């Protein structure tokens, strides 16, 4: 095997460069660990070496983390505990080595990579924007298992440590310096020299002094009583946020507490045990699968690799400067860094749209993710016009005008007249079939659907919808551009509702029926948030907009008949001029744009009395099974290419609980037979809309599954 | 007259400007950089000129912000262009925009550049307000002081009157005479009547209003999105008064000599915000990129007079020189654009061009030419449209070039008076 590390001698300092062969980033695996331990032993025995600098040979990563593939091969808690223990021993060897190890960190320093950095005697980070440090393990349903849960709180205090571990969010080098996570921050150009210099000084007996974090920290982080308050607060926060669905979070708090209160020996044991237990949970398995699925999607253009060629996009046209168009424009300028030309018929709408697009950047500026200068430069990427000036050199145009077939067709004709035949045209619609919009196109081969979700800046999913006439090149162009905008992209068939709205439709209809039956709004929503959705269906109606929901509901009803007949709730709400959050009137009250309580008067409009006692399990079953049944049906129709895309789409598009792995994982988890049995019961009591999808009945007979059962992916 | 090598004539491809707005009104929140970038970026889009074709940005600005000394480089740093396009800013007072275009012309003829963005910007809503010399000295001394005591003692010398802010005046540094006083002096010395001045102002407004109504002027304007939500669209100049009358104009009080004066707010150009840019190219580059040039710059000339004399008489000298360099006579001119700083100044220059005595003084065999108002300032001028100092030159070049094409005119003349007693003239010619 080719070595992962190479060593050069600089006077009495050994510079060890981690450069994993055949990989774009450095990952810590068992094999890498063995090699590093071996290397350290050798250097420790070498009298010519007084100190070690550890750095990365990869351009913009220090160490991306542990090799997660190895986690999936774990077969038992014991095996997982052992993996954690091995990691801990490696880090201990680094920490205890005769020759002090200094970490020279440039680029991403994540997970196991940060745990390794934590074990170093001294850490120096480059001030580069790509230098980020974090412990994302909880996002995979795990905790840092190579000593990180023990070392981090000792270095930065329990508050900062719990914040980093529980959110999994990385910090910038600047923040890391402020937290004391790194000792120095220098420009990349002098990183190595500074690290060598520090290593020599430490070898010469200098011991770095780490300043405290001030009076408050000394009381809160520095006393057992103060820390008790921190643990309790963290516990409450975790319960409120995850509703007990993410066992890694409370476990992480337990481990930190044990480590800080009972000492590191016990702390390390607790850490390994927790890691072992968590690695075997379904939650972690699902989250790891999603991690891999998302990564795989980043390389999947929706067509066999190499079958199409993407047009490089430098200038994007956006037609329609409403909230959607502006969100697309702002995100494209911010994330993809392309020129964006916004066009609308009315100039004052254009101006407002440009402002909303710029606000996407302004929000980053406010959160200090952009400097004033970057903001000014990127802001200038966005411009607006009332005509098609500047469109002749666009490579991609995204149309986001009013959801009406006639309007969209006319706009498409206008765009075609303004752009060259090679410009790809994406139409953003949530319900109108793309084939209908493109029916009269002169060059239908470059027309496709690009279904963004609102608000575009924050929603991570993009559905790209080719028609039967769309060229592969156009498809690949749209998919790759969506990825440049930072979206997770799935390619779906041109069928009403595409994928996400297709499975959402019966779910929202069912929510309407439940409201008609008098299930209180807050109960309805709580049942689903407890199940793991970020918001419940009533709140979702308000977010989406009841006018939009009404329109979508009609389209779906028309396309699929009685099974997707909407409840009458939406009509009643619309008759009372309720549009949801956008006009501050919906299922909830809104004060200054903030949701306050549920609006009970909805039931007067409906003419029903809210139920006092609610069978919450039944509510949940009706909602969940409405969605699952439709998901199975749509899959069998070929709406989505793979179960992976379907599950990722549901998770990223509507917030389907990630720890449940997506609707098809949920179906597999229950088994088709059980699903069919429960659907049949619901069909009897609630109506034929619950009739099990033929594909489920078939699976129930044959024992079929969506995912192969043997592999974890 | 310089005869450029074949293909090296400097041609105007297109020009665009922001709306011109009375200072302190619709463009008051925009900085000079904002305005200049806005119209330049839109010009690139409207012409579909790829940013990587631009070799240089030359921009005029008269009242420069101490925070952005070189507005041209800030324009060049628009993300629509590579970050490697250089830019420099210049100050030829009110002729700065024209000077930028002529500098571009020279660079192109010399073969140093093929594509240049040239123009000018002024925001009189955002002029630097200075401290008095004494207070400024104190601040400098305090910033160098090493102790609190020393810092405080530096301030001890400050008197209340030192704290009064100093704003830049439109006055001659060499004579202290304000521009308006000069215009007043010229009216008196040249015998320009109040009636004639008001009549010129009225014509300026009526013609600018017509040019706005039929879209010839607004076509040269990129709308500005103002207001907090950027939904206040400014798509036309806001100083033009379509319904003004001679009665209204004649009622205005003289500003600079209340008893015997004739120069009023109505027959002078107002303080204005705005920016204008033109794309200049070598003829061969225009052909290679597939552009049809509007006009070429045939000649230009600058002159200066003693500022203590008639400050705004420079054009009387510059115009005959430019015509001589162009190798044409006044009779060849199909269109003339005279920058209207003041009606009295325009009429003084017009008088000089038509005068045999002036011709003698200039050593010419006969008068420079008689102004034919049916072919002069056909869409009004700075009195009605406004005068953001450095932007005016580029505004006039754009308007004249477009109108020369519309009327199929072979030669056009531009005359601009400028602070410091300078006069500027350019001759444009149609490109076959």
């Amino acid at each position: 095997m080719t070595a992962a590390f190479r060593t050069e001698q600089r006077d009495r300092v050994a510079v060890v460069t981690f450069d994993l062969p055949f990989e774009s980033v450095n990952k810590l695996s068992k094999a890498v660990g063995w090699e590093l331990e071996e290397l350290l032993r050798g250097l420790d025995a070498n009298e010519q070496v007084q100190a070690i600098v550890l750095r990365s040979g990869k351009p913009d990563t220090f160490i991306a983390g542990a090799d997660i593939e190895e986690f999936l091969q774990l077969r038992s808690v014991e095996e997982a505990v052992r993996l954690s223990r091995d990691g801990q021993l490696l880090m201990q060897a680094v920490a205890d080595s005769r020759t002090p190890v200094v970490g020279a960190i440039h680029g991403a320093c994540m997970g196991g990579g940060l745990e390794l950095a934590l074990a170093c005697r001294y850490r120096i980070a480059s001030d580069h924007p790509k230098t980020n440090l974090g412990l994302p393990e909880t996002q995979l349903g795990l905790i840092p298992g190579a000593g990180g849960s023990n070392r981090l709180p000792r270095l930065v205090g329990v508050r900062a440590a719990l914040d980093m571990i529980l959110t999994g969010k990385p910090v910038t080098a600047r923040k890391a310096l402020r937290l004391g996570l790194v000792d120095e921050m220098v420009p990349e150009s002098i990183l190595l020299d500074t690290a060598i210099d520090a290593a020599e000084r430490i070898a010469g007996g200098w011991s770095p002094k780490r300043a405290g974090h001030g009076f408050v920290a000394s009381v809160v982080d520095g006393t057992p009583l103060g820390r008790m308050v921190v643990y309790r607060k963290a516990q409450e926060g975790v319960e409120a946020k995850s509703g007990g669905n993410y066992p890694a979070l409370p476990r992480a708090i337990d481990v930190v507490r044990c480590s800080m209160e009972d000492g590191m020996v016990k702390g390390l044991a607790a850490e390994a045990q927790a890691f072992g237990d968590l690695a075997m949970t379904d939650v972690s398995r699902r989250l790891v699968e999603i991690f891999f699925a998302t990564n795989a999607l980043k390389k999947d253009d929706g067509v066999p690799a190499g079958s199409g060629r993407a047009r490089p996009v430098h200038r994007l046209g956006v037609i329609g400067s409403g909230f959607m168009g502006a969100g697309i424009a702002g995100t494209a300028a911010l994330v993809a860094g392309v020129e964006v030309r916004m066009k609308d018929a009315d100039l004052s709408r254009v101006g407002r749209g440009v402002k909303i697009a710029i606000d996407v950047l302004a929000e980053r500026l406010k959160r200090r993710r952009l400097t004033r200068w970057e903001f000014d430069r990127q802001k200038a990427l966005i411009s607006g016009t009332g005509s098609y000036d500047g469109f002749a050199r666009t490579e991609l145009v995204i149309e986001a005008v009013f959801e009406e077939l006639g309007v969209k067709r006319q706009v498409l004709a206008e765009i075609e007249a303004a752009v060259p035949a090679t410009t790809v045209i994406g139409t953003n619609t949530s319900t109108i079939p793309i084939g209908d919009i493109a029916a009269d196109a002169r060059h239908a081969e470059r027309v496709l659907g690009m279904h963004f979700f609102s608000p575009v800046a924050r929603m991570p999913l993009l559905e790209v919808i080719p028609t039967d006439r769309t060229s592969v090149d156009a498809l690949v162009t749209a998919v790759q551009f969506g990825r440049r905008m930072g979206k997770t992209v799935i390619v779906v068939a041109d069928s009403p509702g595409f994928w996400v709205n297709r499975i959402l439709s019966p779910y929202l209809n069912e929510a309407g029926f439940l409201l008609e039956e008098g299930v209180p709004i807050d109960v309805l929503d709580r049942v689903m948030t407890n199940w793991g959705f970020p918001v419940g269906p009533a709140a979702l109606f308000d977010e989406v907009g009841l006018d939009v929901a009404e329109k979508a509901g009609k389209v779906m009803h028309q396309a699929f008949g009685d099974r997707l007949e909407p409840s009458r709730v939406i009509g009643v709400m619309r008759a009372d001029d309720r549009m949801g959050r956008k006009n501050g009137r919906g299922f909830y009250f809104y004060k200054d744009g903030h949701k306050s309580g549920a609006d009970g008067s909805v039931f007067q409009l409906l003419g029903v009395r809210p139920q006092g006692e609610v069978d919450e399990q039944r509510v949940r079953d009706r909602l969940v099974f409405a969605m699952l049944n439709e998901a199975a049906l749509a899959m069998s129709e070929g709406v989505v290419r793979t179960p992976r895309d379907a599950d990722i789409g549901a998770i990223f598009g509507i917030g389907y609980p990630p720890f449940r792995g997506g609707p098809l994982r949920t179906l597999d988890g229950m088994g088709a037979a059980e699903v069919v049995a429960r659907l049949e019961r619901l069909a009897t009591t609630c109506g034929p809309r619950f009739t099990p999808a033929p594909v489920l009945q078939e699976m129930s007979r044959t024992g079929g599954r969506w995912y192969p059962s043997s592999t974890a992916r | 007259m310089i005869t450029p090598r074949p293909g090296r004539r400097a041609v105007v491809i297109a020009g665009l400007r922001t709306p011109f707005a009375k200072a302190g009104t619709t463009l008051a929140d925009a900085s000079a950089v904002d305005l200049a970038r806005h119209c330049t970026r839109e010009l690139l889009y409207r012409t579909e000129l790829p940013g990587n074709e631009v070799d240089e940005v030359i921009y005029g600005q008269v009242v420069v912000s101490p925070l952005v000394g070189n507005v041209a480089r800030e324009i060049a740093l628009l993300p629509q262009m590579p970050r490697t396009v250089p830019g420099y800013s210049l100050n030829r007072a009110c002729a700065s925009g024209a000077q930028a275009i002529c500098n571009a012309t020279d660079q192109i003829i010399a073969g140093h550049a093929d594509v240049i963005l040239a123009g000018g910007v002024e925001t009189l809503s955002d002029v630097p307000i200075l401290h008095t010399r004494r207070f400024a000295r104190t601040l400098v001394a305090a910033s160098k002081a090493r102790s609190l005591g020393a810092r405080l003692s530096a301030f001890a010398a400050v008197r209340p009157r030192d704290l009064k802010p100093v704003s830049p005046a439109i006055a001659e540094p060499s004579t202290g005479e304000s521009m308006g006083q000069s215009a007043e002096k010229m009216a008196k010395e040249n015998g320009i009547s109040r009636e004639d001045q008001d009549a010129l102002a009225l014509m300026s407004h009526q013609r600018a209003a017509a040019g706005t109504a039929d879209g010839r002027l607004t076509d040269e304007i990129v709308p500005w999105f103002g207001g907090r939500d950027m939904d206040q669209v400014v798509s036309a100049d806001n100083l033009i008064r379509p319904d003004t009358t001679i009665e209204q104009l004649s009622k205005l009080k003289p500003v600079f000599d209340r008893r015997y004066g004739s120069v009023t707010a109505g027959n002078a150009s107002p303080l204005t915000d705005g920016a204008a840019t033109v794309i200049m190219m070598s003829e061969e580059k225009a052909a290679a990129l597939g552009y049809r040039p509007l006009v070429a710059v045939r000649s230009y000339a600058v002159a200066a007079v003693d500022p203590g004399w008639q400050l705004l008489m420079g054009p009387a000298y510059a115009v005959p020189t430019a015509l001589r360099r162009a190798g044409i006579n006044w009779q060849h001119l199909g269109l003339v654009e005279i920058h209207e700083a003041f009606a009295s100044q325009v009429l003084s220059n017009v008088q000089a061009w038509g005068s045999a005595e002036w011709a003698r003084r200039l050593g010419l065999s006969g008068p420079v030419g008689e102004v034919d108002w049916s072919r002069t300032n056909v869409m009004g001028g700075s009195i009605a449209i406004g005068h953001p100092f450095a932007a005016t030159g580029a505004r006039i070049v754009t308007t004249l070039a477009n109108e020369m094409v519309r009327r199929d005119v072979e030669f056009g003349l531009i005359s601009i008076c400028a602070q410091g007693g300078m006069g500027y003239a350019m001759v444009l010619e149609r490109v076959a």
Side-chain angles (χ1 to χ4, degrees):
Chain A
M1 193 190 138
T2 323
F5 297 91
R6 58 173 189 269
T7 308
E8 322 151 54
Q9 190 86 12
R10 291 274 193 99
D11 292 334
R12 301 168 76 77
V13 176
V15 176
V16 174
T17 304
F18 185 11
D19 195 353
L20 202 59
F22 316 117
E23 294 279 352
S24 58
V25 297
N26 287 326
K27 289 182 282 192
L28 292 173
S29 61
K30 281 186 208 162
V32 166
W34 293 327
E35 192 186 330
L36 181 57
E37 266 187 283
E38 190 70 34
L39 181 72
L40 276 178
R41 251 198 305 277
L43 292 172
D44 261 2
N46 182 346
E47 287 187 5
Q48 299 302 310
V49 175
Q50 291 303 311
I52 297 171
V53 167
L54 178 65
R55 63 155 178 176
S56 159
K58 304 296 183 195
D60 283 323
T61 26
F62 178 67
I63 301 171
D67 185 350
I68 296 166
E69 302 259 359
E70 288 187 349
F71 295 179
L72 285 175
Q73 287 153 19
L74 297 169
R75 287 286 163 265
S76 68
V77 171
E78 292 69 36
E79 218 180 305
V81 170
R82 204 167 329 123
L83 182 71
S84 172
R85 276 298 193 187
D86 287 348
Q88 291 176 347
L89 287 173
L90 170 66
M91 301 311 169
Q92 202 60 50
V94 172
D96 295 344
S97 91
R98 172 189 69 83
T99 45
V101 182
V102 172
I105 303 162
H106 168 71
C109 173
M110 308 296 284
L114 181 53
E115 295 183 287
L116 177 56
L118 284 168
C120 292
R121 214 75 65 84
Y122 198 73
R123 286 157 295 279
I124 307 176
S126 80
D127 60 5
H128 196 271
K130 289 251 167 86
T131 298
N132 282 289
L133 305 91
L135 292 172
E137 285 84 349
T138 53
Q139 294 186 344
L140 297 178
L142 301 166
I143 64 163
S149 304
N150 282 268
R151 286 198 178 87
L152 186 65
R154 284 180 164 71
L155 191 63
V156 302
V158 283
R159 280 178 307 166
L162 281 174
D163 188 49
M164 281 184 72
I165 293 171
L166 296 178
T167 63
K169 282 197 188 124
V171 296
T172 60
R174 186 173 302 277
K175 176 101 187 273
L177 182 69
R178 205 165 57 230
L179 292 175
L181 181 56
V182 298
D183 298 290
E184 286 186 63
M185 180 175 75
V186 299
E188 192 205 343
S189 49
I190 61 164
L191 178 62
L192 182 60
D193 288 345
T194 315
I196 290 172
D197 191 52
E200 274 171 347
R201 272 182 295 148
I202 294 171
W206 174 70
S207 62
K209 293 207 176 27
R210 297 198 166 95
H213 295 94
F215 175 72
V216 176
S218 72
V219 175
V220 179
D221 291 334
T223 65
L225 254 163
R227 291 196 296 269
M228 292 317 281
V229 176
V230 176
Y231 302 137
R232 205 181 58 233
K233 281 265 181 224
Q235 200 78 42
E236 286 165 10
V238 158
E239 269 160 35
K241 209 177 75 182
S242 72
N245 287 323
Y246 292 88
L249 301 178
R251 255 338 247 287
I253 300 172
D254 290 345
V255 170
V256 169
R257 182 190 354 229
C258 170
S259 170
M260 294 306 283
E261 310 312 318
D262 304 337
M264 198 148 152
V265 174
K266 284 191 176 165
L268 285 170
E271 177 183 293
Q273 190 59 48
F275 180 88
D277 291 344
L278 290 165
M280 286 297 116
T281 57
D282 281 348
V283 169
S284 174
R285 277 280 141 98
R286 298 292 91 83
L287 293 173
V288 169
E289 284 156 8
I290 291 164
F291 174 81
F292 280 112
T294 312
N295 277 349
L297 261 173
K298 281 182 190 149
K299 297 181 196 108
D300 187 341
D301 292 335
V303 291
S307 63
R309 269 188 49 194
R311 286 206 73 192
V313 177
H314 305 101
R315 185 179 296 176
L316 171 73
V318 175
I319 315 290
S321 63
F323 195 65
M324 194 49 118
I328 294 168
T331 309
L334 173 71
V335 187
V338 295
E339 288 177 44
V340 186
R341 216 37 199 156
M342 296 178 70
K343 193 260 166 197
D344 205 314
D346 172 55
L347 273 181
S348 111
R349 270 177 67 87
V350 172
R352 209 175 311 129
V354 170
K355 172 65 166 51
I356 298 170
I358 290 173
D359 281 346
V360 173
L361 304 169
E363 146 107 41
R364 292 289 179 108
L365 175 69
K366 211 162 70 189
R367 288 194 289 132
R368 302 210 187 159
R369 299 290 179 81
L370 280 183
T371 66
R372 179 89 228 165
W373 296 275
E374 287 165 340
F375 171 75
D376 281 341
R377 180 170 170 81
Q378 291 198 278
K379 182 175 81 166
L381 289 166
I382 306 166
S383 63
T385 169
S387 68
Y388 283 90
D389 288 330
F391 274 72
R393 292 164 50 78
T394 54
E395 295 93 355
L396 173 66
V397 174
I398 299 174
E399 166 273 304
V401 299
F402 192 59
E403 284 269 55
E404 203 172 287
L405 181 59
V407 179
K408 285 192 178 275
R409 272 190 181 161
Q410 196 211 316
V411 169
L412 178 60
E414 280 175 25
I415 300 170
E416 285 208 287
V419 302
T422 48
T423 300
V424 175
I425 303 174
T427 169
N428 179 77
T429 171
S430 53
T431 41
I432 306 177
I434 311 303
D436 292 355
I437 297 173
D440 302 331
R442 274 193 292 159
H443 294 281
E445 73 280 359
R446 44 83 171 271
V447 182
L448 41 68
M450 292 179 82
H451 180 207
F452 289 89
F453 295 79
S454 186
V456 179
R458 269 184 287 139
M459 294 297 283
L461 188 72
L462 168 66
E463 289 180 315
V464 171
I465 307 113
T467 70
D468 46 12
R469 295 196 284 165
T470 304
S471 74
V472 176
D473 288 358
L475 177 66
V476 174
T477 302
V479 169
Q480 292 195 4
F481 187 74
R483 264 199 304 263
R484 272 180 72 196
M485 283 177 69
K487 301 302 168 202
T488 296
V489 187
I490 58 172
V491 174
V492 302
D494 187 14
S495 144
F498 314 122
W499 166 247
V500 168
N501 283 343
R502 171 76 181 275
I503 61 171
L504 196 57
S505 184
Y507 169 83
L508 289 178
N509 288 348
E510 201 60 30
F513 297 136
L514 288 162
L515 288 165
E516 274 182 50
E517 291 166 28
V519 173
I521 294 164
D522 45 352
V523 175
L524 181 74
D525 279 357
R526 196 186 60 233
V527 167
M528 291 325 288
T529 52
N530 282 349
W531 200 68
F533 274 100
V535 292
L540 187 59
F541 269 126
D542 278 4
E543 293 299 326
V544 169
L546 288 156
D547 49 338
V548 175
E550 184 181 35
K551 205 161 196 167
K554 281 183 186 152
V555 172
M556 298 305 283
H557 184 204
Q558 211 168 23
F560 296 101
D562 288 349
R563 183 165 48 80
L564 293 188
E565 181 178 5
S567 77
R568 64 184 184 93
V569 171
I570 306 302
V572 171
M573 297 289 282
R574 291 286 296 121
D576 190 43
D577 186 34
R578 289 173 187 254
M579 308 226 296
R581 182 189 280 279
K582 68 177 87 164
N583 75 343
R585 292 167 53 77
F587 290 106
Y588 286 86
F589 291 114
Y590 292 89
K591 267 194 206 126
D592 314 319
H594 291 286
K595 199 170 82 173
S596 57
D599 183 352
S601 66
V602 165
F603 290 101
Q604 280 159 22
L605 294 175
L606 288 170
V608 295
R609 283 178 71 124
Q611 295 172 18
E613 285 280 301
V614 178
D615 180 352
E616 296 194 2
Q617 177 163 352
R618 193 176 149 75
V619 169
R620 189 185 66 213
D621 277 4
R622 281 173 59 177
L623 288 165
V624 170
F625 278 95
M627 182 180 281
L628 295 180
N629 198 25
E630 194 68 28
L633 197 60
M635 271 309 287
S636 69
E637 291 169 10
V639 171
V640 193
R641 292 177 310 143
T642 64
R644 174 200 71 191
D645 290 9
D647 280 342
I648 291 292
I651 291 165
F652 288 168
I654 46 183
Y656 191 95
F659 63 91
R660 299 190 189 277
L664 303 181
R665 285 277 181 202
T666 308
L667 286 170
D668 274 359
M670 276 189 279
E674 164 77 8
V675 172
V676 166
R678 288 171 74 172
L679 278 169
E680 277 168 350
R681 275 205 297 281
L682 284 168
T684 323
T685 53
C686 299
R689 61 182 182 276
F690 281 104
T691 307
V695 65
L696 288 173
Q697 300 183 19
E698 164 78 16
M699 281 178 161
S700 142
R701 276 193 297 278
T702 61
R705 305 166 47 90
W706 295 103
Y707 289 89
S709 60
S710 53
T711 70
R713 261 168 292 157
Chain B
M1 180 188 157
I2 299 171
T3 312
R5 284 182 290 120
R8 295 309 308 179
R9 263 203 304 185
V11 294
V12 176
I13 300 299
L16 194 66
R17 64 181 174 95
T18 67
F20 283 4
K22 183 179 170 152
T25 64
T26 46
L27 300 181
D29 292 335
S31 71
V33 174
D34 291 340
L35 293 176
R37 293 182 112 196
H38 184 65
C39 79
T40 306
R41 181 179 66 179
E42 189 66 21
L43 181 59
L44 291 176
Y45 281 129
R46 290 201 182 179
T47 55
E48 299 284 1
L49 176 68
N52 59 10
E53 295 288 355
V54 178
D55 296 317
E56 173 84 279
V57 178
I58 308 176
Y59 230 70
Q61 190 180 10
V62 177
V63 183
V64 178
S65 160
L67 301 177
V68 184
N70 181 5
V71 65
R73 178 67 176 129
E74 298 311 311
I75 297 166
L77 284 170
L78 274 169
Q80 283 74 12
M81 286 180 261
R83 308 203 81 174
T84 47
V85 179
Y88 74 92
S89 304
L90 57 83
N91 185 352
R92 173 83 83 186
C94 302
S96 298
Q99 184 69 58
I101 288 164
C102 291
N103 284 15
T105 300
D106 292 348
Q107 292 294 299
I108 289 167
I109 290 175
H112 296 169
D114 276 307
V115 180
I116 297 180
L117 304 178
V121 62
E122 215 67 56
T123 54
L124 295 176
S125 299
D126 183 27
V127 293
I129 305 291
L130 311 173
H131 287 301
T132 56
R133 278 304 297 268
R134 187 135 117 177
F135 191 56
R137 261 202 315 272
T138 305
L139 289 175
V140 172
S143 73
K144 285 184 185 152
R146 280 155 198 257
S147 69
L148 184 65
R151 201 163 295 165
L152 287 175
S153 72
F155 283 100
V158 176
R159 299 286 167 266
R161 66 174 142 64
D162 298 336
L163 298 176
K164 196 172 157 232
V166 182
S167 49
I170 307 171
E172 284 301 311
S174 63
T175 62
E177 192 177 66
S178 81
M179 200 69 81
Q181 286 166 340
S182 304
E184 189 63 73
K185 185 163 104 186
M186 288 171 76
K188 291 191 178 97
E189 293 187 6
N190 301 323
I192 309 294
S193 73
R194 168 75 187 264
E195 289 70 31
D196 286 352
Q197 293 179 49
D198 287 349
L200 179 69
L202 181 67
M203 184 174 78
S204 185
H205 279 285
Q206 287 172 339
R207 289 180 171 187
T212 303
D214 65 22
R216 280 177 301 162
L217 277 181
T218 41
D219 277 355
E220 296 169 3
I221 295 174
V222 49
W224 174 261
F225 302 108
R228 245 192 79 235
D229 292 327
M230 290 180 70
D231 54 355
Q232 311 292 315
V233 181
V234 186
S235 41
D237 307 316
N238 72 359
L239 283 153
I240 303 169
R241 294 162 177 265
D243 46 5
T244 195
T245 61
I246 202 75
E247 288 74 31
Q248 283 173 337
L249 285 165
S250 63
K251 267 187 218 141
L252 296 170
K253 289 245 157 30
V255 179
F256 304 98
D257 176 353
R258 293 193 163 270
R259 273 183 84 179
Y260 302 111
S262 59
V263 175
T264 70
N267 58 37
S269 61
L271 296 181
T272 313
D273 299 337
T277 307
V278 300
I279 297 175
M280 302 290 298
M281 281 188 200
S282 65
E283 210 169 1
E284 59 194 10
K285 185 69 176 185
L289 292 177
Y291 288 101
R292 276 189 66 178
L294 300 170
V295 296
V297 177
R298 188 170 169 102
S299 73
Y300 68 95
V302 201
V305 301
D306 175 1
W309 178 63
Q310 292 194 6
L311 183 74
L312 303 174
M313 278 305 260
Y317 294 86
V319 165
T321 311
L323 290 175
R324 179 168 50 76
R325 287 179 183 166
I328 61 168
N329 297 319
W330 189 274
Q331 291 71 31
H332 294 109
L333 298 171
L335 281 166
V336 176
E337 282 286 335
I338 308 171
H339 160 52
E340 302 166 346
F342 297 89
S344 71
Q345 155 265 321
V346 174
L347 295 171
S348 294
N349 284 295
V350 167
Q351 200 174 63
W353 291 325
S355 138
E357 196 200 320
W358 262 91
R360 260 195 310 282
R361 217 194 278 186
L362 296 175
L364 299 173
S365 53
V368 176
E370 201 68 46
V371 167
D372 170 2
W373 287 105
S374 72
R375 290 184 291 150
T376 303
N377 290 10
V378 294
M379 274 183 270
S382 298
I383 290 176
I385 294 168
H387 175 38
F389 306 138
T392 291
R395 189 265 297 170
I396 295 177
V397 166
T398 303
T399 301
L400 178 59
N402 285 325
E403 195 65 14
M404 283 171 69
V405 172
R406 260 183 232 116
R407 298 193 182 201
D408 196 18
V409 155
E410 197 181 358
F411 295 107
L413 172 76
I414 293 169
S415 154
I416 299 173
C417 62
Q419 193 185 32
M422 295 188 290
Y424 206 92
M426 279 171 83
V427 174
L428 305 183
E429 64 179 325
R430 278 300 303 285
V431 179

